[in-house]
Amino acid sequence: VASIFSFAYLIIPIYLLSSACCLILRYPTTNASLAVALPMFISIIIPPLPSTFILRLLKPMLYYFDYEAIYTDDKNVRQAIAGGKNFLFAAQPHGILSFVGMCAAVSKPDDAMKVPTAAASAVLQTPLLKNLMGIFNLVDASAHNLKKILKGGGSVLIYIGGIAELFKSCRAEERLYLKKRKGFIKLALREGVDVVPIYLFGNTSVLSALKHGPLATLSRKLQVSLTWFWGKCYLPIPRDEKILYVVGKPLGLPHIEEPTQEDIDKWHAVYCDEVTKLFELHKERVPTYKHKKLFID
């Protein structure tokens, strides 16, 4: 089941490019080119639709990966949300595809519907891909949209490192793209929203990626993974290794309408420390992580 997503990320761009070429050249005939491009046209019309029904059908993915989740302060967070408080859930690392994040949504589909996941605009605008990934309740990751969600009283999950972190994926060591990512802290302080760190063990090890070349450069520019990647037997099949989803405690951010750089740096350091603690505390539970060291770039 997990391979559906990895194969789709490779096949869909090829299909879209081929369809566009057929339409432009009217090859082999005008009618045939329209028939080839029909799925693309249908996808353009249909918006991404979250689906708890489909998420429940993906449960075999949990057993394939030997998925486990740890919620450090789940009861208090749920009570706070029920009482009207909203949170910014900060997840790392991104990996090539966030299979840990997908499994978390599959494991608790109702939670996934309540707290959307922010994704790059390119994902939400790419035909077919937007419909496939849209089942996980995705929203635009632009600063404007995140601010709108938080101001409206909603919570949201964001991937701090983004696609830049994809190219740091490595089975030998763990690297987070974090030192320069402080905008989420500024946003949380301004909106009076607490930050909850989430560590995704396995995102950087179930798949490996080609980190150089034209596809890698294109991926960085479009903020979507278009580079070649592989897993089992050098195929785009994720390795069936244990993965772990760890949700930490809220950091306790205050509400500061106009935070200074000092305020931002202070709470960014608190976040970095908490992420490091989560990594060191739980890495022994995942065989491929026992000997990994964490680096914050």
Side-chain angles (χ1 to χ4, degrees):
V1 175
S3 299
I4 292 172
F5 299 96
S6 50
F7 272 97
Y9 257 84
L10 291 176
I11 294 171
I12 287 175
I14 296 172
Y15 162 75
L16 294 176
L17 182 61
S18 301
S19 297
C21 289
C22 287
L23 286 170
I24 293 170
L25 300 174
R26 297 183 181 181
Y27 178 83
T29 64
T30 299
N31 288 338
S33 65
L34 288 172
V36 169
L38 183 60
M40 178 177 68
F41 291 136
I42 294 174
S43 176
I44 290 172
I45 296 170
I46 300 175
L49 299 173
S51 174
T52 54
F53 174 73
I54 296 178
L55 290 183
R56 290 189 174 98
L57 294 179
L58 297 175
K59 272 202 170 181
M61 193 159 67
L62 304 180
Y63 310 117
Y64 177 81
F65 285 118
D66 186 18
Y67 169 78
E68 182 185 358
I70 296 174
Y71 294 84
T72 307
D73 198 25
D74 191 47
K75 184 179 179 180
N76 289 330
V77 170
R78 288 182 182 277
Q79 287 178 346
I81 291 176
K85 185 172 176 58
N86 53 342
F87 294 92
L88 195 158
F89 294 90
Q92 285 189 278
H94 186 286
I96 291 102
L97 289 173
S98 183
F99 282 111
V100 185
M102 291 183 202
C103 284
V106 170
S107 175
K108 296 190 174 185
D110 292 331
D111 287 356
M113 297 303 110
K114 293 175 184 175
V115 180
T117 296
S121 299
V123 174
L124 298 174
Q125 293 170 2
T126 302
L128 299 178
L129 188 60
K130 67 172 185 176
N131 303 107
L132 175 66
M133 302 308 296
I135 63 173
F136 294 100
N137 192 18
L138 304 184
V139 295
D140 192 347
S142 66
H144 172 75
N145 192 52
L146 294 178
K147 185 176 181 180
K148 181 181 176 182
I149 292 170
L150 297 177
K151 274 190 174 297
S155 297
V156 66
L157 186 150
I158 64 173
Y159 284 84
I160 305 302
I163 291 298
E165 210 165 58
L166 180 160
F167 296 99
K168 294 183 179 293
S169 295
C170 178
R171 290 177 63 78
E173 61 186 19
E174 192 84 336
R175 290 191 172 272
L176 304 183
Y177 185 63
L178 182 54
K179 282 185 179 179
K180 296 180 180 179
R181 294 293 173 108
K182 299 182 181 181
F184 73 102
I185 294 291
K186 184 178 181 179
L187 176 64
L189 289 170
R190 278 183 167 177
E191 302 304 325
V193 175
D194 210 347
V195 172
V196 179
I198 299 176
Y199 207 96
L200 311 173
F201 291 90
N203 261 6
T204 57
S205 60
V206 294
L207 288 171
S208 302
L210 182 67
K211 300 177 183 179
H212 306 285
L215 283 178
T217 302
L218 186 61
S219 294
R220 290 186 177 96
K221 287 184 177 180
L222 296 180
Q223 290 296 293
V224 62
S225 51
L226 295 175
T227 189
W228 175 257
F229 53 82
W230 64 91
K232 294 175 69 174
C233 304
Y234 294 94
L235 296 172
I237 301 173
R239 303 177 182 97
D240 52 344
E241 300 173 347
K242 181 179 179 62
I243 59 177
L244 176 64
Y245 183 83
V246 180
V247 182
K249 295 180 179 181
L251 300 183
L253 269 71
H255 183 194
I256 306 175
E257 291 187 1
E258 293 299 330
T260 64
Q261 190 60 49
E262 185 179 354
D263 293 326
I264 296 168
D265 291 343
K266 172 189 172 182
W267 287 102
H268 182 265
V270 171
Y271 173 81
C272 292
D273 288 343
E274 189 59 29
V275 165
T276 302
K277 288 177 184 176
L278 290 178
F279 179 84
E280 296 298 337
L281 183 62
H282 299 288
K283 71 176 186 178
E284 294 289 332
R285 302 179 71 91
V286 185
T288 53
Y289 276 72
K290 286 183 178 180
H291 305 292
K292 268 192 174 186
K293 290 186 178 181
L294 178 65
F295 299 91
I296 295 179
D297 298 336

